[in-house]
Amino acid sequence: MSNKYEPSKVEDSYYKICEDRGYFEIDGNKNIQELDENGKQKTFSIMMPPPNVTGSLHIGHALTFTLQDIITRYKRMDGFKTLWQPGTDHAGIATQNVVEKQLLAEGTTKEEIGREKFLERAWLQKETSGGNIVHQMRKLGVTPAWKRERFTMDEGLKEAVKEAFVSLYNDGHITQNNYMVNWCTHDGALSDIEVEHEEVNGKFYHMVYKFADGSGEVQVATTRPETYFGDSAIMVHPDDERYTDIVGKEVLLPLTDRKIKVITDSHVDMEFGTGVVKVTPAHDQNDYEVGKRHNLEFIKCFDEAGILNEYCGEFQGLERLEARPVIVKALENAGYIVKIEDHVHQVGHCYRCKNIVEPFISQQWFLSEKVAQSSIEKTKAHNNFHPQHWINSYTAWMDELRPWCISRQLWWGHRIPVFTCDSCNHQWADKADEPEACPKCGNKHYTQDPDVLDTWFSSALWAMSPLGWGNNGKLPELYNLEQDMKDFYPNSLLITGFDIMFFWVARMMMMGDHFQGELPFKDIYMHALVRDEHGAKMSKSKGNVIDPLDMVEEHSADIIRFTLAYLAVQGRDIKLGAKNLEQFRNFTNKLYNASNFLTLNVDTFEDLKDIEIQTALGKYMQSRLAHAVEDVREALEAFKFNEAASILYKFVWTEFCDWGIEYSKASKESISELGAIFKETLKLVSPFMPFISDFLYHKLSGTSLEEGADSLMVTNYPKDIAKDEETEAMFEIIEEAITALRRAKVIIDMGNSKIAKAYIKLDKQIDTQLAKPFIEKLAKVEEIEFVNAKVENSITDVSDNLEVYLPTSEIDMSPIIDKLTKQKEKTQKEFDKLNGMLSNERFVANAPEAVVAENKKALEDAKTKLEKIENELKAIS
């Protein structure tokens, strides 16, 4: 074997072999599947959060998929019939934006090429990007059931979306209303959670509105002067005595002279600004409610594209944001602007294109918030979030839930299955793409709603639609409807980032519970963000983005996976840097070097289950492995991936390599047993680092994956390994003795040198004949003698269960005494100098406080060092 493991030569080929053999599919581990305590097949299911077909994977994806793959591999090895459902998402707004930019770069637009051609381009984007994403996932070594891969707009899932929509529509849960929505002038309607609120440095524009009767004027302030053309009223608080005499009067809109009234409403904050506010019901969420209460006119002053209309007079035709400085200039010139102040406030932006979002009245389709009520109650009762504190965020949002705007003004997506009869104007929802006729009058001429559904509507069905729910017989080769729903719904687990809790998780809970009568997940693990090594959020502008594929290329999939798992503390952001990757590169080297050592001594090794452990060292290492197995299993069952990785790291590095392999140099007969134990350890490591585990296992076994041997991923995960507490207790004493002897040798500057003789006095009984060779070998002592009393004239080290003695009569102490004497003289001079300075009252009074404190600490350190040297000299004199 070479001294270096070359992952680039192993990972791709091993992955292809395993995929080709069908290991990733639900029956890939058929030979080791087990029944539970009730005699039923153990099952495990987890749904991949489908990545968008708009680009490539980022490091957050790498974390999600790594954690999902670890738990899936673990369950698969533990005898579960396992489904990890893969797929990609059509990502309506995001994909349409990408394709529109492509068209603009080619000098055309979607309107010019038409809906049909545009959709062809969107499908091309899906094929290109979706294929790229799947390739990247494979490079990470993830093992979903690829043969069942789905796309949120495939023929089966289109059916599921129509099934859900039509059912909800017919039950009265989906309705069409004119309602104020979040409006992106580029992407159309957005739900509340698709709006990102950012703090911006804006302006407060103080304007005057003159009374229509010429009796004066009133001052108001606004952050959006371009909307004042849509004002329906001026408003003051009913208890504000400053304005009692103007209530009911009319004012003239600046520049247009349109008349509006002064009204009262308790919504007004008397303490803010002048206490007078303008009311623009069609362009402000709060004003919308005021408008409804007071039966005001709802005046839209710009259209869907943000272009000012006829209400805006000379400014008609300008885009709303571009119009602002023009309008302000005109108001200033006409004397309507009193002052302009800087003002920091929150402004909503489209989560996809970052355009400023407008409150806008539009006819949209809405799903009633009442559909979620049952799932909210069940979720609060069970709280299956990990970490548990996410229930608080879930509750805070869901308790304030409003109707969900599910229609989008896009071409790419699931077309809303609602039709309107051209003859009788009857409107109905239909699962057929082309209904035969109007169900009311029989007319065959009708129009389908032009909008598409919010991307998250189809994603909300993801816990059950890939299992065949609502697919209406389409793509039957991908699922067994009756069996899959029985085996895999509810899903065992969901792993995802906390940032899509409301976009996706809460909506799957709502839809799953509504259609199946039970929540779709037994457990939900919400992981945090991956940040750079300094804790900063990754962004292209900062230049600190880590590409997971670059990391795989440079380090290996195994190293990336183990690093992410090791750092994934529940509820804490991950700080990922070069030092972490280097640490776990060293870990792979440790694994490889351990295998190298074992095969230098023995050619091949049996599996642990096929041999009887007989040596003391073999019993000890097997017992320590048993503890590691229990602890790793417990951590994985609690989704504490970092703890599981840490336990593995400590066992392999410290217990097996630093101690076990070193012990074996005094017990050559144990090496064949250690090889079997290490092979079992590789099974334990396999879910985290599958490639190097397989490679080393087969090397140690004298078998080959390429020549037909099974991968570790379809062998049993370690469990129920024999413990030997008596042998463990003995090796604890052995380790304690070695450590004590090493400390004692450091005192005489012989830490790494061999010495002739040492004595040990034990407080506990052990088999000294068994222990002796291990202590002599690792402590580098030619002869150990066990004694019952203190050995005089010796260097002594005392620990919890024993004392060790190095006899000074057998060691030439003069060089050590000379060295310690010189150290004492030097330290004494330093002590005297510092003591003199600090005894000088003038120095202490005049020197800066920090300097005095620094010198006091140095004096204390010198005193401690002197005492230590004197004790060492006393011990060896």
Side-chain angles (χ1 to χ4, degrees):
M1 294 170 72
S2 68
N3 290 322
K4 191 177 180 185
Y5 171 65
E6 297 179 77
S8 59
K9 294 183 178 179
V10 173
E11 294 187 345
D12 287 348
S13 64
Y14 275 28
Y15 188 90
K16 187 175 188 312
I17 289 169
C18 292
E19 183 178 355
D20 289 347
R21 290 183 187 172
Y23 288 159
F24 307 168
E25 307 305 319
I26 61 174
D27 287 325
N29 65 336
K30 197 164 190 175
N31 292 338
I32 61 167
Q33 287 181 4
E34 299 174 356
L35 304 180
D36 62 19
E37 59 274 10
N38 299 316
K40 292 183 178 179
Q41 172 64 57
K42 297 196 297 185
T43 59
F44 176 81
S45 56
I46 184 169
M47 297 297 189
M48 175 186 290
N52 294 347
V53 290
T54 51
S56 57
L57 298 185
H58 53 66
I59 195 65
H61 289 125
L63 174 62
T64 302
F65 297 148
T66 293
L67 299 183
Q68 288 182 317
D69 193 52
I70 288 169
I71 200 74
T72 299
R73 285 176 178 269
Y74 163 62
K75 291 292 184 180
R76 189 184 286 129
M77 291 176 72
D78 208 28
F80 285 76
K81 181 180 180 181
T82 301
L83 170 63
W84 181 12
Q85 176 65 52
T88 49
D89 192 279
H90 67 281
I93 292 175
T95 303
Q96 180 144 331
N97 279 336
V98 167
V99 177
E100 284 194 59
K101 285 176 184 175
Q102 292 170 355
L103 294 174
L104 284 173
E106 296 166 15
T108 186
T109 64
K110 73 178 195 296
E111 286 76 18
E112 287 179 23
I113 67 170
R115 187 167 192 147
E116 191 174 331
K117 290 286 185 186
F118 178 82
L119 292 178
E120 287 177 12
R121 287 293 297 265
W123 277 105
L124 179 63
Q125 166 65 25
K126 179 264 174 187
E127 294 302 324
T128 305
S129 180
N132 183 37
I133 285 167
V134 167
H135 164 73
Q136 291 173 318
M137 282 194 260
R138 284 180 160 92
K139 292 291 284 185
L140 283 168
V142 302
T143 59
W146 285 122
K147 290 179 182 176
R148 297 175 58 121
E149 183 185 349
R150 303 301 295 267
F151 175 57
T152 51
M153 280 175 59
D154 70 30
E155 288 304 312
L157 298 193
K158 280 168 66 176
E159 291 294 317
V161 166
K162 289 187 288 184
E163 181 76 35
F165 185 98
V166 172
S167 172
L168 290 164
Y169 178 94
N170 289 340
D171 288 344
H173 296 305
I174 291 177
T175 53
Q176 191 178 37
N177 296 304
N178 277 313
Y179 194 72
M180 178 158 281
V181 296
N182 304 295
W183 186 266
C184 171
T185 56
H186 181 263
D187 294 320
L190 303 172
S191 66
D192 290 343
I193 53 176
E194 290 172 316
V195 180
E196 294 177 344
H197 291 275
E198 298 173 17
E199 204 170 71
V200 300
N201 296 315
K203 302 286 184 184
F204 234 157
Y205 302 89
H206 292 258
M207 302 168 55
V208 293
Y209 287 52
K210 296 179 180 178
F211 291 114
D213 61 6
S215 60
E217 60 190 31
V218 66
Q219 189 181 135
V220 300
T222 180
T223 57
R224 298 194 301 154
E226 68 276 7
T227 65
Y228 88 87
F229 300 107
D231 287 358
S232 295
I234 293 289
M235 181 166 61
V236 297
H237 196 281
D239 298 333
D240 196 333
E241 296 178 357
R242 292 173 295 175
Y243 301 113
T244 305
D245 58 341
I246 68 168
V247 174
K249 295 183 75 171
E250 290 183 326
V251 296
L252 302 172
L253 281 188
L255 303 180
T256 67
D257 286 347
R258 181 164 61 83
K259 291 180 181 180
I260 57 176
K261 277 191 173 183
V262 178
I263 64 171
T264 62
D265 194 281
S266 56
H267 169 70
V268 179
D269 180 358
M270 289 188 286
E271 306 301 319
F272 186 73
T274 61
V276 184
V277 294
K278 66 191 204 66
V279 187
T280 320
H283 294 286
D284 182 275
Q285 185 64 55
N286 293 318
D287 291 358
Y288 176 75
E289 299 299 331
V290 171
K292 288 198 293 184
R293 283 199 295 273
H294 293 269
N295 201 28
L296 298 176
E297 189 177 1
F298 288 75
I299 300 170
K300 291 183 185 178
C301 59
F302 53 78
D303 64 15
E304 287 88 347
I307 306 301
L308 272 57
N309 59 22
E310 66 276 9
Y311 282 98
C312 306
E314 62 186 282
F315 308 106
Q316 183 176 357
L318 293 176
E319 196 278 332
R320 66 194 164 128
L321 298 179
E322 293 170 1
R324 182 178 294 174
V326 180
I327 293 168
V328 169
K329 185 69 177 170
L331 288 168
E332 284 182 312
N333 291 341
Y336 287 105
I337 296 287
V338 178
K339 61 180 175 179
I340 302 174
E341 296 176 317
D342 289 333
H343 179 61
V344 178
H345 61 131
Q346 294 280 333
V347 175
H349 293 75
C350 174
Y351 83 120
R352 282 299 179 196
C353 70
K354 308 307 176 187
N355 184 19
I356 290 179
V357 169
E358 295 286 350
F360 193 78
I361 295 175
S362 176
Q363 188 176 66
Q364 302 291 337
W365 290 97
F366 293 88
L367 175 62
S368 170
E369 73 277 16
K370 293 174 183 174
V371 174
Q373 200 53 48
S374 171
S375 67
I376 293 170
E377 290 168 5
K378 288 178 182 176
T379 303
K380 286 179 181 178
H382 294 102
N383 186 13
N384 53 352
F385 287 105
H386 306 269
Q388 287 195 334
H389 68 75
W390 283 114
I391 191 67
N392 299 326
S393 301
Y394 172 88
T395 300
W397 179 269
M398 299 304 282
D399 283 350
E400 299 297 323
L401 200 61
R402 298 196 303 167
W404 172 15
C405 176
I406 57 173
S407 47
R408 296 292 180 269
Q409 289 63 56
L410 304 171
W411 286 356
W412 174 246
H414 291 276
R415 188 86 175 264
I416 290 177
V418 173
F419 303 86
T420 304
C421 177
D422 293 348
S423 176
C424 71
N425 215 33
H426 173 64
Q427 192 178 70
W428 78 100
D430 206 309
K431 287 185 268 188
D433 287 335
E434 295 182 4
E436 288 187 12
C438 170
K440 186 175 182 182
C441 73
N443 190 292
K444 295 184 182 297
H445 298 286
Y446 51 79
T447 305
Q448 184 173 359
D449 193 293
D451 289 349
V452 300
L453 284 164
D454 178 8
T455 297
W456 299 100
F457 188 92
S458 53
S459 298
L461 306 173
W462 188 248
M464 54 191 180
S465 58
L467 303 177
W469 180 89
N471 284 216
N472 295 328
K474 298 289 176 71
L475 305 178
E477 68 278 8
L478 297 182
Y479 57 85
N480 178 330
L481 177 58
E482 186 177 339
Q483 192 61 42
D484 286 357
M485 285 297 289
K486 181 181 174 183
D487 284 346
F488 303 127
Y489 189 95
N491 304 164
S492 308
L493 174 66
L494 176 71
I495 296 180
T496 188
F498 70 85
D499 50 333
I500 55 173
M501 177 189 278
F502 306 112
F503 282 110
W504 190 44
V505 180
R507 286 169 174 171
M508 282 194 291
M509 308 271 267
M510 170 176 72
M511 291 295 213
D513 181 64
H514 179 78
F515 287 109
Q516 294 299 318
E518 58 183 326
L519 295 174
F521 313 109
K522 293 171 186 171
D523 288 286
I524 302 169
Y525 176 93
M526 311 289 287
H527 68 70
L529 293 175
V530 183
R531 298 178 178 272
D532 71 13
E533 58 193 318
H534 307 295
K537 194 171 181 179
M538 292 186 189
S539 69
K540 290 178 183 175
S541 60
K542 291 178 184 174
N544 65 347
V545 171
I546 296 176
D547 186 315
L549 269 294
D550 290 345
M551 293 163 66
V552 169
E553 206 66 39
E554 183 180 352
H555 297 280
S556 79
D558 280 334
I559 291 172
I560 305 316
R561 292 162 61 96
F562 198 85
T563 303
L564 290 170
Y566 192 92
L567 299 175
V569 181
Q570 280 193 13
R572 191 183 305 168
D573 285 348
I574 288 175
K575 293 181 184 178
L576 181 62
K579 68 179 187 301
N580 307 117
L581 298 165
E582 193 60 41
Q583 177 185 359
F584 298 113
R585 173 184 282 166
N586 294 339
F587 184 56
T588 60
N589 292 341
K590 202 77 169 174
L591 288 166
Y592 201 82
N593 291 338
S595 296
N596 266 343
F597 171 81
L598 292 166
T599 52
L600 283 173
N601 294 275
V602 178
D603 290 335
T604 60
F605 299 86
E606 297 288 334
D607 272 11
L608 187 58
K609 64 180 172 56
D610 297 328
I611 66 169
E612 183 182 347
I613 301 293
Q614 295 180 326
T615 68
L617 177 55
K619 290 175 181 176
Y620 171 62
M621 288 313 305
Q622 179 177 250
S623 195
R624 295 309 303 153
L625 173 63
H627 288 287
V629 166
E630 285 182 357
D631 293 345
V632 168
R633 280 178 165 276
E634 187 179 335
L636 286 175
E637 293 292 345
F639 318 119
K640 294 179 179 178
F641 297 95
N642 65 301
E643 287 186 16
S646 178
I647 293 159
L648 282 172
Y649 184 87
K650 180 176 178 291
F651 176 74
V652 169
W653 193 292
T654 305
E655 299 200 56
F656 191 87
C657 294
D658 287 359
W659 287 104
I661 283 179
E662 291 304 309
Y663 284 140
S664 74
K665 294 171 184 177
S667 175
K668 294 289 186 183
E669 68 277 12
S670 69
I671 290 180
S672 60
E673 296 175 351
L674 291 189
I677 291 163
F678 190 65
K679 284 173 63 179
E680 200 71 10
T681 302
L682 291 170
K683 292 179 184 177
L684 202 62
V685 174
S686 178
F688 298 81
M689 307 176 87
F691 299 112
I692 193 170
S693 299
D694 251 344
F695 180 83
L696 296 179
Y697 178 87
H698 289 298
K699 282 284 187 184
L700 293 169
S701 303
T703 54
S704 166
L705 190 67
E706 295 92 332
E707 294 173 10
D710 275 340
S711 164
L712 287 184
M713 69 177 290
V714 288
T715 61
N716 289 115
Y717 201 69
K719 65 178 174 182
D720 301 330
I721 294 173
K723 291 180 184 173
D724 188 328
E725 292 181 5
E726 187 178 332
T727 303
E728 280 197 64
M730 180 179 75
F731 272 89
E732 283 175 17
I733 298 295
I734 291 171
E735 184 179 326
E736 191 176 331
I738 293 164
T739 305
L741 285 165
R742 287 172 175 173
R743 282 198 302 262
K745 286 167 68 182
V746 168
I747 295 172
I748 56 172
D749 211 18
M750 295 185 72
N752 210 31
S753 302
K754 196 162 193 174
I755 62 172
K757 186 79 183 254
Y759 300 90
I760 301 174
K761 182 167 80 73
L762 296 171
D763 294 341
K764 287 189 175 180
Q765 290 295 312
I766 62 168
D767 187 332
T768 54
Q769 286 304 108
L770 270 177
K772 194 169 185 286
F774 293 112
I775 299 171
E776 288 172 347
K777 188 73 175 177
L778 271 68
K780 293 186 178 179
V781 179
E782 287 181 10
E783 186 186 357
I784 292 291
E785 184 178 330
F786 292 93
V787 296
N788 295 319
K790 178 176 172 60
V791 176
E792 300 300 329
N793 301 319
S794 62
I795 307 298
T796 304
D797 186 278
V798 180
S799 59
D800 292 342
N801 299 298
L802 52 85
E803 294 177 22
V804 300
Y805 313 107
L806 308 185
T808 55
S809 58
E810 298 182 27
I811 305 167
D812 181 6
M813 306 301 291
S814 55
I816 301 156
I817 292 170
D818 185 48
K819 179 183 173 184
L820 287 171
T821 302
K822 286 178 180 175
Q823 284 183 354
K824 180 182 177 182
E825 289 171 358
K826 183 182 176 185
T827 307
Q828 185 68 54
K829 284 181 183 177
E830 182 67 16
F831 178 85
D832 292 342
K833 177 187 170 187
L834 290 164
N835 194 42
M837 287 171 59
L838 291 167
S839 299
N840 184 330
E841 292 181 2
R842 287 183 64 192
F843 169 77
V844 174
N846 296 324
E849 192 176 322
V851 172
V852 174
E854 188 179 332
N855 279 283
K856 282 182 178 178
K857 184 178 185 309
L859 179 66
E860 192 62 37
D861 291 344
K863 182 182 177 184
T864 303
K865 190 175 180 182
L866 264 177
E867 288 171 356
K868 184 181 178 185
I869 295 169
E870 286 169 353
N871 288 334
E872 289 178 8
L873 279 168
K874 186 178 177 183
I876 63 179
S877 298

